[in-house]
Amino acid sequence: MKLAFSTLGCPDWTFAQILENGQKMGFKGIEIRGIEGEMDVAKIKYFQPSQWKDTKKRLEDHNLEIINLGTSANFHDAAKWDAGLAEAKAAIDMAESIGVPFIRIFGDKLPDTGAERENTLRQIAKGWLEVYRYSEGKKVTPLVEVHGNFNRVESFKDIFKFFEHPKFAVIWDIEHSYKVYEDNFIEFFGFIRKYTKHVHIKDAKKINGEWQLTNLGKGTTPIAMHVALLSASNYGGYLSLEWEKKWHPELDDCSIAFPEYVELMKKIIFIDN
C-alpha cells in the first residue's frame, strides 16, 4: 500500500508547494480536491491540454501521481441532479485525458423512511447509472464515497434494488462508517471490502455526544485495525489522508497533520515505496 493526501488538506498551497512537500514528506499519490482556489477539477489550469505535458513532467520529477479527481457531484437533490451529472461527466473526461484512474461522486442523503426515501433512492440510482454508463469504454472508474447516509450496509442494500453496474466501486472513508458502527465496524468492512478501490483515512472522537475530527491517533477511530484488515484482504490501493482543513479551518495546518499521518502509518504497516 502507498500513501496519498487530498489537496482538501492544503488549500493554501500552490501547485508547486503541493509537489515539493508531497515528495519531501514521503507521499506517492495526490488526490485532487481543489488547487489554488479552483474546486472544479475540470477547470484546473494544470490539467488543461496546453499545460498537461509540463504538469506530467513535474509530477514525474517529484515521483508523484494523481490518483483521484474529487467532485462534488451528488444525486439526492433533484434541483442539483443535472449539475451533478454534468460535473461527473466532465471529471471523467478530464481523468481519461490525463490518465487518472478514479473520480469521486456521492449519493448522498436519504430520508429516513417511506415513499420519499424510495423516490430518493431511485433518483440517486438513476444518477449513478448515468455516470457509470458514461465511464464505459474508458480507463476511469467512478467511486461512490462512503459519506452522508451512505455509511451503512442498509443504505447500499436498498439502492442495489434499483442500481447495478459491473464497474461499481467505492471510496471507503473509514471515519464515516466508524461513526455509525463504532466497535462493530467489522460488520461494515465485511460488506464494503469487495467494492473498495480507494480509502480515506481520518480520525474523530465524541465530545459531549458529538463527533469531532481530531489529529491522527488522537481520536477513537481504530485506524490500525482498519488498515490491518485491508492488508489481510489483499487491498493494494492507496491510503489517502483526507484532512478537511478547507472545510474546518480550526484544524491544525497541513505542515503538522501531513507528517503526523506519515509517521503514524509507518508504525502500523509496511509502506510500499
Coordinates of all heavy atoms in Angstrom, one line a residue, residues 86-117:
A86 N -23.5 16.6 -15.0 CA -22.6 17.3 -15.8 C -21.2 17.4 -15.2 O -20.1 17.2 -15.9 CB -23.1 18.7 -16.1
E87 N -21.1 17.6 -13.9 CA -19.8 17.7 -13.2 C -19.1 16.4 -13.3 O -17.9 16.3 -13.5 CB -20.0 18.1 -11.8 CG -18.7 18.3 -11.0 CD -18.9 18.8 -9.6 OE1 -20.0 18.9 -9.1 OE2 -17.8 18.9 -8.9
A88 N -19.8 15.3 -13.0 CA -19.2 13.9 -13.0 C -18.7 13.6 -14.4 O -17.6 13.1 -14.6 CB -20.2 12.9 -12.6
K89 N -19.5 13.9 -15.4 CA -19.0 13.6 -16.8 C -17.8 14.4 -17.2 O -16.9 13.9 -17.8 CB -20.2 13.9 -17.8 CG -21.3 12.9 -17.8 CD -22.4 13.2 -18.8 CE -23.4 12.1 -18.9 NZ -24.5 12.4 -19.9
A90 N -17.8 15.7 -16.8 CA -16.6 16.5 -17.1 C -15.4 16.0 -16.4 O -14.3 16.0 -17.0 CB -16.9 17.9 -16.7
A91 N -15.5 15.5 -15.2 CA -14.4 14.9 -14.5 C -13.9 13.6 -15.1 O -12.7 13.4 -15.2 CB -14.8 14.7 -13.0
I92 N -14.8 12.8 -15.6 CA -14.4 11.6 -16.3 C -13.6 11.9 -17.5 O -12.6 11.3 -17.8 CB -15.7 10.7 -16.6 CG1 -16.3 10.1 -15.4 CG2 -15.3 9.6 -17.6 CD1 -17.6 9.5 -15.6
D93 N -14.1 12.9 -18.3 CA -13.4 13.3 -19.5 C -12.0 13.8 -19.1 O -11.0 13.5 -19.8 CB -14.1 14.4 -20.2 CG -15.4 13.9 -20.9 OD1 -15.5 12.7 -21.1 OD2 -16.3 14.7 -21.2
M94 N -11.9 14.6 -18.1 CA -10.6 15.1 -17.7 C -9.7 14.0 -17.2 O -8.5 13.9 -17.6 CB -10.8 16.1 -16.5 CG -9.4 16.7 -15.9 SD -8.5 17.5 -17.2 CE -9.4 19.0 -17.3
A95 N -10.2 13.1 -16.4 CA -9.4 11.9 -15.9 C -8.9 11.1 -17.0 O -7.8 10.6 -17.0 CB -10.2 11.1 -14.9
E96 N -9.8 10.8 -18.0 CA -9.4 10.0 -19.1 C -8.3 10.7 -19.9 O -7.3 10.0 -20.4 CB -10.6 9.8 -20.0 CG -10.4 9.0 -21.3 CD -10.2 7.5 -21.1 OE1 -10.3 7.0 -19.9 OE2 -10.1 6.7 -22.0
S97 N -8.4 12.0 -20.1 CA -7.4 12.7 -20.9 C -6.0 12.7 -20.2 O -5.0 12.8 -21.0 CB -7.9 14.1 -21.2 OG -7.8 14.9 -20.0
I98 N -5.9 12.7 -18.9 CA -4.6 12.8 -18.2 C -4.2 11.5 -17.5 O -3.2 11.4 -16.8 CB -4.6 14.0 -17.2 CG1 -5.6 13.7 -16.1 CG2 -4.9 15.3 -18.0 CD1 -5.6 14.9 -15.0
G99 N -5.0 10.4 -17.7 CA -4.6 9.1 -17.2 C -4.8 8.9 -15.7 O -4.1 8.2 -15.1
V100 N -5.8 9.5 -15.1 CA -6.2 9.4 -13.7 C -7.2 8.3 -13.6 O -8.2 8.3 -14.3 CB -6.7 10.7 -13.1 CG1 -7.2 10.4 -11.7 CG2 -5.6 11.7 -13.1
P101 N -7.0 7.3 -12.7 CA -7.9 6.1 -12.7 C -9.3 6.3 -12.1 O -10.2 5.5 -12.4 CB -7.1 5.1 -11.9 CG -6.2 5.9 -11.0 CD -5.9 7.1 -11.8
F102 N -9.4 7.3 -11.2 CA -10.7 7.4 -10.5 C -11.2 8.8 -10.4 O -10.4 9.8 -10.5 CB -10.5 7.0 -9.0 CG -10.0 5.6 -8.8 CD1 -8.8 5.3 -8.1 CD2 -10.6 4.5 -9.4 CE1 -8.3 4.1 -7.9 CE2 -10.1 3.2 -9.2 CZ -9.0 3.0 -8.5
I103 N -12.5 9.0 -10.4 CA -13.2 10.2 -9.9 C -14.1 9.9 -8.8 O -14.5 8.7 -8.6 CB -14.0 10.9 -11.1 CG1 -15.3 10.1 -11.4 CG2 -13.1 11.1 -12.3 CD1 -16.4 10.9 -11.9
R104 N -14.4 10.9 -8.0 CA -15.3 10.7 -6.8 C -16.6 11.3 -7.0 O -16.8 12.4 -7.4 CB -14.6 11.3 -5.6 CG -15.3 11.0 -4.2 CD -16.3 12.0 -3.8 NE -15.8 13.4 -3.8 CZ -15.2 14.0 -2.8 NH1 -14.9 13.3 -1.7 NH2 -14.8 15.3 -2.9
I105 N -17.7 10.5 -6.6 CA -19.1 11.1 -6.6 C -19.7 10.7 -5.3 O -19.1 9.9 -4.5 CB -19.9 10.6 -7.8 CG1 -20.1 9.0 -7.8 CG2 -19.3 11.0 -9.1 CD1 -21.0 8.5 -8.8
F106 N -20.9 11.2 -5.1 CA -21.7 10.9 -3.8 C -23.0 10.3 -4.1 O -23.5 10.3 -5.3 CB -21.8 12.2 -3.0 CG -20.6 12.8 -2.5 CD1 -20.0 13.9 -3.1 CD2 -20.0 12.2 -1.4 CE1 -18.9 14.4 -2.6 CE2 -18.8 12.8 -0.9 CZ -18.2 13.9 -1.5
G107 N -23.7 10.0 -3.0 CA -25.1 9.6 -3.1 C -26.1 10.8 -3.0 O -26.6 11.2 -4.0
D108 N -26.4 11.3 -1.8 CA -25.5 11.4 -0.7 C -26.4 11.3 0.6 O -26.1 10.6 1.5 CB -24.8 12.7 -0.7 CG -23.9 12.9 0.5 OD1 -23.2 12.0 0.9 OD2 -23.8 14.1 1.0
K109 N -27.6 11.9 0.5 CA -28.5 12.0 1.7 C -29.8 11.3 1.4 O -30.3 11.3 0.3 CB -28.8 13.4 2.1 CG -27.5 14.2 2.5 CD -27.8 15.6 2.9 CE -26.6 16.4 3.2 NZ -26.8 17.8 3.5
L110 N -30.4 10.6 2.4 CA -31.6 9.9 2.3 C -32.6 10.2 3.4 O -32.2 10.3 4.6 CB -31.3 8.3 2.4 CG -30.5 7.7 1.2 CD1 -30.2 6.3 1.6 CD2 -31.4 7.7 -0.1
P111 N -33.9 10.4 3.0 CA -34.9 10.5 4.1 C -34.9 9.1 4.9 O -34.5 8.1 4.4 CB -36.2 10.6 3.3 CG -35.7 11.1 1.9 CD -34.4 10.5 1.7
D112 N -35.5 9.2 6.1 CA -35.5 8.0 6.9 C -36.3 6.9 6.4 O -35.9 5.7 6.4 CB -35.9 8.4 8.3 CG -34.9 9.3 9.0 OD1 -33.7 9.2 8.7 OD2 -35.3 10.1 9.9
T113 N -37.6 7.2 6.0 CA -38.5 6.1 5.7 C -39.4 6.5 4.6 O -39.5 7.7 4.2 CB -39.3 5.6 6.9 OG1 -40.0 6.8 7.4 CG2 -38.4 5.1 8.0
G114 N -40.3 5.6 4.2 CA -41.4 5.9 3.4 C -41.1 6.1 1.9 O -40.1 5.8 1.4
A115 N -42.2 6.6 1.2 CA -42.1 6.8 -0.2 C -41.1 7.8 -0.6 O -40.4 7.7 -1.7 CB -43.5 7.3 -0.7
E116 N -40.8 8.8 0.2 CA -39.8 9.8 -0.1 C -38.4 9.2 -0.2 O -37.6 9.5 -1.0 CB -39.8 10.9 0.9 CG -38.9 12.1 0.6 CD -38.9 13.2 1.6 OE1 -39.7 13.1 2.6 OE2 -38.2 14.2 1.4
R117 N -38.2 8.3 0.8 CA -36.9 7.6 0.8 C -36.7 6.8 -0.5 O -35.7 6.8 -1.2 CB -36.8 6.7 2.0 CG -35.5 5.8 2.0 CD -35.4 4.9 3.2 NE -34.3 4.0 3.2 CZ -33.1 4.3 3.7 NH1 -32.9 5.5 4.2 NH2 -32.1 3.5 3.7

